[in-house]
mmCIF file of all heavy atoms in Angstrom:
data_model
loop_
_atom_site.group_PDB
_atom_site.id
_atom_site.type_symbol
_atom_site.label_atom_id
_atom_site.label_comp_id
_atom_site.label_asym_id
_atom_site.label_seq_id
_atom_site.Cartn_x
_atom_site.Cartn_y
_atom_site.Cartn_z
ATOM 1 N N SER A 1 0.817 -1.218 0.000
ATOM 2 C CA SER A 1 0.000 0.000 0.000
ATOM 3 C C SER A 1 0.849 1.267 0.000
ATOM 4 O O SER A 1 0.320 2.368 0.155
ATOM 5 C CB SER A 1 -0.928 0.012 1.225
ATOM 6 O OG SER A 1 -1.809 -1.095 1.204
ATOM 7 N N GLY A 2 2.152 1.105 -0.161
ATOM 8 C CA GLY A 2 3.037 2.255 -0.194
ATOM 9 C C GLY A 2 3.344 2.841 1.167
ATOM 10 O O GLY A 2 3.803 3.984 1.261
ATOM 11 N N ARG A 3 3.134 2.062 2.215
ATOM 12 C CA ARG A 3 3.401 2.547 3.576
ATOM 13 C C ARG A 3 4.762 2.056 4.055
ATOM 14 O O ARG A 3 5.134 0.896 3.836
ATOM 15 C CB ARG A 3 2.305 2.068 4.531
ATOM 16 C CG ARG A 3 0.905 2.503 4.130
ATOM 17 C CD ARG A 3 -0.150 1.953 5.073
ATOM 18 N NE ARG A 3 -0.079 0.504 5.202
ATOM 19 C CZ ARG A 3 -0.934 -0.225 5.903
ATOM 20 N NH1 ARG A 3 -1.922 0.372 6.551
ATOM 21 N NH2 ARG A 3 -0.806 -1.534 5.957
ATOM 22 N N LEU A 4 5.481 2.933 4.710
ATOM 23 C CA LEU A 4 6.801 2.580 5.231
ATOM 24 C C LEU A 4 6.680 1.551 6.342
ATOM 25 O O LEU A 4 5.903 1.729 7.281
ATOM 26 C CB LEU A 4 7.499 3.836 5.765
ATOM 27 C CG LEU A 4 8.934 3.666 6.271
ATOM 28 C CD1 LEU A 4 9.862 3.271 5.125
ATOM 29 C CD2 LEU A 4 9.421 4.956 6.930
ATOM 30 N N ILE A 5 7.469 0.469 6.232
ATOM 31 C CA ILE A 5 7.489 -0.571 7.262
ATOM 32 C C ILE A 5 8.748 -0.461 8.105
ATOM 33 O O ILE A 5 8.702 -0.535 9.335
ATOM 34 C CB ILE A 5 7.405 -1.971 6.634
ATOM 35 C CG1 ILE A 5 6.092 -2.150 5.876
ATOM 36 C CG2 ILE A 5 7.556 -3.059 7.702
ATOM 37 C CD1 ILE A 5 6.023 -3.461 5.124
ATOM 38 N N SER A 6 9.901 -0.305 7.439
ATOM 39 C CA SER A 6 11.165 -0.180 8.163
ATOM 40 C C SER A 6 12.097 0.747 7.409
ATOM 41 O O SER A 6 11.969 0.941 6.191
ATOM 42 C CB SER A 6 11.826 -1.548 8.362
ATOM 43 O OG SER A 6 12.214 -2.108 7.125
ATOM 44 N N LEU A 7 13.038 1.308 8.173
ATOM 45 C CA LEU A 7 13.934 2.309 7.608
ATOM 46 C C LEU A 7 15.240 2.310 8.391
ATOM 47 O O LEU A 7 15.226 2.208 9.618
ATOM 48 C CB LEU A 7 13.272 3.692 7.698
ATOM 49 C CG LEU A 7 14.065 4.913 7.241
ATOM 50 C CD1 LEU A 7 14.265 4.878 5.729
ATOM 51 C CD2 LEU A 7 13.340 6.197 7.646
ATOM 52 N N GLN A 8 16.347 2.416 7.677
ATOM 53 C CA GLN A 8 17.655 2.553 8.306
ATOM 54 C C GLN A 8 18.258 3.890 7.903
ATOM 55 O O GLN A 8 18.461 4.152 6.724
ATOM 56 C CB GLN A 8 18.580 1.418 7.889
ATOM 57 C CG GLN A 8 18.127 0.040 8.342
ATOM 58 C CD GLN A 8 19.088 -1.050 7.918
ATOM 59 O OE1 GLN A 8 20.296 -0.850 7.881
ATOM 60 N NE2 GLN A 8 18.544 -2.215 7.589
ATOM 61 N N GLN A 9 18.523 4.733 8.880
ATOM 62 C CA GLN A 9 19.122 6.050 8.653
ATOM 63 C C GLN A 9 19.890 6.484 9.889
ATOM 64 O O GLN A 9 19.430 6.303 11.018
ATOM 65 C CB GLN A 9 18.047 7.102 8.337
ATOM 66 C CG GLN A 9 17.555 7.103 6.901
ATOM 67 C CD GLN A 9 16.725 8.327 6.576
ATOM 68 O OE1 GLN A 9 15.735 8.606 7.242
ATOM 69 N NE2 GLN A 9 17.123 9.061 5.551
ATOM 70 N N ASN A 10 21.076 7.070 9.656
ATOM 71 C CA ASN A 10 21.809 7.719 10.755
ATOM 72 C C ASN A 10 22.034 6.809 11.963
ATOM 73 O O ASN A 10 21.847 7.242 13.108
ATOM 74 C CB ASN A 10 21.071 8.975 11.208
ATOM 75 C CG ASN A 10 21.791 10.243 10.784
ATOM 76 O OD1 ASN A 10 22.832 10.179 10.147
ATOM 77 N ND2 ASN A 10 21.231 11.376 11.137
ATOM 78 N N ASP A 11 22.388 5.575 11.755
ATOM 79 C CA ASP A 11 22.630 4.610 12.843
ATOM 80 C C ASP A 11 21.369 4.236 13.615
ATOM 81 O O ASP A 11 21.452 3.599 14.665
ATOM 82 C CB ASP A 11 23.688 5.133 13.828
ATOM 83 C CG ASP A 11 25.028 5.380 13.160
ATOM 84 O OD1 ASP A 11 25.393 4.597 12.255
ATOM 85 O OD2 ASP A 11 25.704 6.354 13.526
ATOM 86 N N TRP A 12 20.217 4.639 13.114
ATOM 87 C CA TRP A 12 18.946 4.258 13.714
ATOM 88 C C TRP A 12 18.205 3.299 12.796
ATOM 89 O O TRP A 12 18.328 3.373 11.569
ATOM 90 C CB TRP A 12 18.047 5.474 13.936
ATOM 91 C CG TRP A 12 18.453 6.383 15.058
ATOM 92 C CD1 TRP A 12 19.319 7.427 14.985
ATOM 93 C CD2 TRP A 12 17.988 6.344 16.409
ATOM 94 N NE1 TRP A 12 19.426 8.051 16.202
ATOM 95 C CE2 TRP A 12 18.618 7.406 17.097
ATOM 96 C CE3 TRP A 12 17.099 5.523 17.104
ATOM 97 C CZ2 TRP A 12 18.389 7.667 18.451
ATOM 98 C CZ3 TRP A 12 16.866 5.787 18.447
ATOM 99 C CH2 TRP A 12 17.507 6.839 19.113
ATOM 100 N N VAL A 13 17.429 2.417 13.396
ATOM 101 C CA VAL A 13 16.508 1.550 12.653
ATOM 102 C C VAL A 13 15.100 1.896 13.105
ATOM 103 O O VAL A 13 14.796 1.858 14.301
ATOM 104 C CB VAL A 13 16.788 0.058 12.901
ATOM 105 C CG1 VAL A 13 15.733 -0.803 12.200
ATOM 106 C CG2 VAL A 13 18.188 -0.313 12.411
ATOM 107 N N LEU A 14 14.263 2.268 12.154
ATOM 108 C CA LEU A 14 12.875 2.629 12.447
ATOM 109 C C LEU A 14 11.947 1.533 11.939
ATOM 110 O O LEU A 14 12.096 1.060 10.817
ATOM 111 C CB LEU A 14 12.513 3.950 11.768
ATOM 112 C CG LEU A 14 11.030 4.353 11.800
ATOM 113 C CD1 LEU A 14 10.625 4.783 13.211
ATOM 114 C CD2 LEU A 14 10.744 5.464 10.797
ATOM 115 N N LYS A 15 10.989 1.131 12.766
ATOM 116 C CA LYS A 15 9.962 0.175 12.362
ATOM 117 C C LYS A 15 8.588 0.749 12.697
ATOM 118 O O LYS A 15 8.382 1.252 13.805
ATOM 119 C CB LYS A 15 10.161 -1.169 13.053
ATOM 120 C CG LYS A 15 11.445 -1.898 12.639
ATOM 121 C CD LYS A 15 11.539 -3.272 13.273
ATOM 122 C CE LYS A 15 12.823 -3.974 12.868
ATOM 123 N NZ LYS A 15 12.875 -4.243 11.415
ATOM 124 N N ILE A 16 7.686 0.683 11.734
ATOM 125 C CA ILE A 16 6.310 1.145 11.947
ATOM 126 C C ILE A 16 5.403 -0.070 11.854
ATOM 127 O O ILE A 16 5.261 -0.678 10.787
ATOM 128 C CB ILE A 16 5.908 2.210 10.912
ATOM 129 C CG1 ILE A 16 6.891 3.380 10.956
ATOM 130 C CG2 ILE A 16 4.483 2.696 11.178
ATOM 131 C CD1 ILE A 16 6.621 4.468 9.930
ATOM 132 N N SER A 17 4.804 -0.447 12.971
ATOM 133 C CA SER A 17 4.052 -1.700 13.035
ATOM 134 C C SER A 17 2.551 -1.513 12.838
ATOM 135 O O SER A 17 1.823 -2.483 12.596
ATOM 136 C CB SER A 17 4.289 -2.391 14.381
ATOM 137 O OG SER A 17 3.908 -1.552 15.462
ATOM 138 N N ARG A 18 2.092 -0.256 12.948
ATOM 139 C CA ARG A 18 0.651 -0.047 12.803
ATOM 140 C C ARG A 18 0.353 1.340 12.254
ATOM 141 O O ARG A 18 0.991 2.315 12.663
ATOM 142 C CB ARG A 18 -0.063 -0.230 14.151
ATOM 143 C CG ARG A 18 -1.585 -0.117 14.052
ATOM 144 C CD ARG A 18 -2.238 -0.258 15.414
ATOM 145 N NE ARG A 18 -3.672 -0.007 15.348
ATOM 146 C CZ ARG A 18 -4.463 0.148 16.402
ATOM 147 N NH1 ARG A 18 -3.951 0.072 17.619
ATOM 148 N NH2 ARG A 18 -5.752 0.374 16.252
ATOM 149 N N TYR A 19 -0.589 1.390 11.336
ATOM 150 C CA TYR A 19 -1.108 2.650 10.806
ATOM 151 C C TYR A 19 -2.579 2.766 11.195
ATOM 152 O O TYR A 19 -3.243 1.769 11.455
ATOM 153 C CB TYR A 19 -0.992 2.703 9.283
ATOM 154 C CG TYR A 19 0.408 2.973 8.765
ATOM 155 C CD1 TYR A 19 1.391 1.984 8.801
ATOM 156 C CD2 TYR A 19 0.741 4.212 8.229
ATOM 157 C CE1 TYR A 19 2.667 2.230 8.318
ATOM 158 C CE2 TYR A 19 2.012 4.468 7.740
ATOM 159 C CZ TYR A 19 2.971 3.474 7.794
ATOM 160 O OH TYR A 19 4.233 3.721 7.317
ATOM 161 N N ARG A 20 -3.059 4.014 11.194
ATOM 162 C CA ARG A 20 -4.477 4.245 11.476
ATOM 163 C C ARG A 20 -4.935 5.445 10.656
ATOM 164 O O ARG A 20 -4.156 6.370 10.405
ATOM 165 C CB ARG A 20 -4.705 4.519 12.960
ATOM 166 C CG ARG A 20 -6.185 4.612 13.330
ATOM 167 C CD ARG A 20 -6.368 4.738 14.828
ATOM 168 N NE ARG A 20 -5.924 6.044 15.325
ATOM 169 C CZ ARG A 20 -6.050 6.434 16.589
ATOM 170 N NH1 ARG A 20 -6.566 5.604 17.480
ATOM 171 N NH2 ARG A 20 -5.642 7.623 16.963
ATOM 172 N N GLU A 21 -6.200 5.427 10.234
ATOM 173 C CA GLU A 21 -6.704 6.517 9.410
ATOM 174 C C GLU A 21 -6.742 7.818 10.199
ATOM 175 O O GLU A 21 -7.300 7.905 11.288
ATOM 176 C CB GLU A 21 -8.102 6.205 8.878
ATOM 177 C CG GLU A 21 -8.626 7.285 7.940
ATOM 178 C CD GLU A 21 -9.970 6.946 7.333
ATOM 179 O OE1 GLU A 21 -10.301 5.746 7.246
ATOM 180 O OE2 GLU A 21 -10.688 7.890 6.957
ATOM 181 N N SER A 22 -6.138 8.830 9.606
ATOM 182 C CA SER A 22 -6.146 10.181 10.172
ATOM 183 C C SER A 22 -6.180 11.166 9.023
ATOM 184 O O SER A 22 -5.443 11.009 8.049
ATOM 185 C CB SER A 22 -4.897 10.437 11.025
ATOM 186 O OG SER A 22 -4.840 9.563 12.133
ATOM 187 N N ALA A 23 -7.042 12.144 9.109
ATOM 188 C CA ALA A 23 -7.175 13.172 8.068
ATOM 189 C C ALA A 23 -7.437 12.557 6.703
ATOM 190 O O ALA A 23 -6.978 13.064 5.688
ATOM 191 C CB ALA A 23 -5.932 14.050 8.024
ATOM 192 N N GLY A 24 -8.148 11.444 6.686
ATOM 193 C CA GLY A 24 -8.542 10.817 5.437
ATOM 194 C C GLY A 24 -7.531 9.865 4.838
ATOM 195 O O GLY A 24 -7.794 9.270 3.786
ATOM 196 N N GLN A 25 -6.375 9.679 5.494
ATOM 197 C CA GLN A 25 -5.345 8.790 4.963
ATOM 198 C C GLN A 25 -4.752 7.945 6.093
ATOM 199 O O GLN A 25 -4.940 8.236 7.273
ATOM 200 C CB GLN A 25 -4.231 9.596 4.280
ATOM 201 C CG GLN A 25 -4.686 10.429 3.097
ATOM 202 C CD GLN A 25 -5.169 9.591 1.930
ATOM 203 O OE1 GLN A 25 -4.722 8.458 1.737
ATOM 204 N NE2 GLN A 25 -6.084 10.135 1.131
ATOM 205 N N GLU A 26 -4.021 6.892 5.702
ATOM 206 C CA GLU A 26 -3.369 6.037 6.692
ATOM 207 C C GLU A 26 -2.081 6.702 7.180
ATOM 208 O O GLU A 26 -1.170 6.975 6.390
ATOM 209 C CB GLU A 26 -3.034 4.677 6.057
ATOM 210 C CG GLU A 26 -4.253 3.849 5.691
ATOM 211 C CD GLU A 26 -4.937 3.289 6.927
ATOM 212 O OE1 GLU A 26 -4.231 2.732 7.785
ATOM 213 O OE2 GLU A 26 -6.166 3.427 7.034
#
């Protein structure tokens, strides 16, 4: 769906495990 799941930047690892509808979008 084009949503970010994981990201590696600047010695950090980001994980997004849940989205929710806000302002008409996920």
Side-chain angles (χ1 to χ4, degrees):
S1 299
R3 302 177 305 184
L4 184 65
I5 298 174
S6 66
L7 176 69
Q8 296 181 35
Q9 279 192 304
N10 252 1
D11 300 324
W12 287 88
V13 175
L14 171 72
K15 294 184 181 296
I16 304 178
S17 58
R18 184 182 174 191
Y19 284 74
R20 186 174 70 176
E21 184 176 336
S22 298
Q25 299 294 331
E26 293 288 312

